Amino acid sequence: MVRVTVPHNQSKQEVMRSVDRSFDDLFRSVGVVPLQFVDEKRSWQGSRLTFSMSAKMGFLSTPIAGTIDVTDTDLTIDVDLGLLERLVNSGTARAALTNSVRGLLK
């Protein structure tokens, strides 16, 4: 499980809209090979987004699932990267997600 928390200075609604618009881009930079995301499911319950999808890498596929919580001051992603966690160390995944979230919040 990878957890990333990034502070923001926008309204919760603005951050939630940004997450919706750029959701797919959040995870693109995590893998060491090009990833294709399929079977994406996501739903907001209040300020929590619950999501799941499959990441395809060539002939390999792994489920990814987690949550994104938006508060008045920060955004927290908790994600189980499945097999990707064996291919990418958690520090690298955390750094890639942090950079993606920071880009999203600009």
Side-chain angles (χ1 to χ4, degrees), residues 13-78:
Q13 294 301 327
E14 285 177 291
V15 174
M16 290 167 65
R17 280 193 299 272
S18 293
V19 167
D20 264 343
R21 269 195 317 272
S22 304
F23 179 81
D24 292 337
D25 296 334
L26 286 176
F27 299 97
R28 293 237 183 268
S29 62
V30 172
V32 293
V33 296
L35 298 174
Q36 176 187 11
F37 297 106
V38 296
D39 301 326
E40 181 185 304
K41 294 177 182 72
R42 52 183 159 150
S43 66
W44 285 99
Q45 294 167 339
S47 58
R48 171 176 271 201
L49 176 68
T50 302
F51 64 88
S52 64
M53 65 188 119
S54 291
K56 295 185 84 168
M57 305 156 282
F59 62 90
L60 204 64
S61 180
T62 185
I64 294 176
T67 58
I68 300 176
D69 290 301
V70 180
T71 68
D72 290 332
T73 58
D74 55 35
L75 177 148
T76 301
I77 300 175
D78 286 308

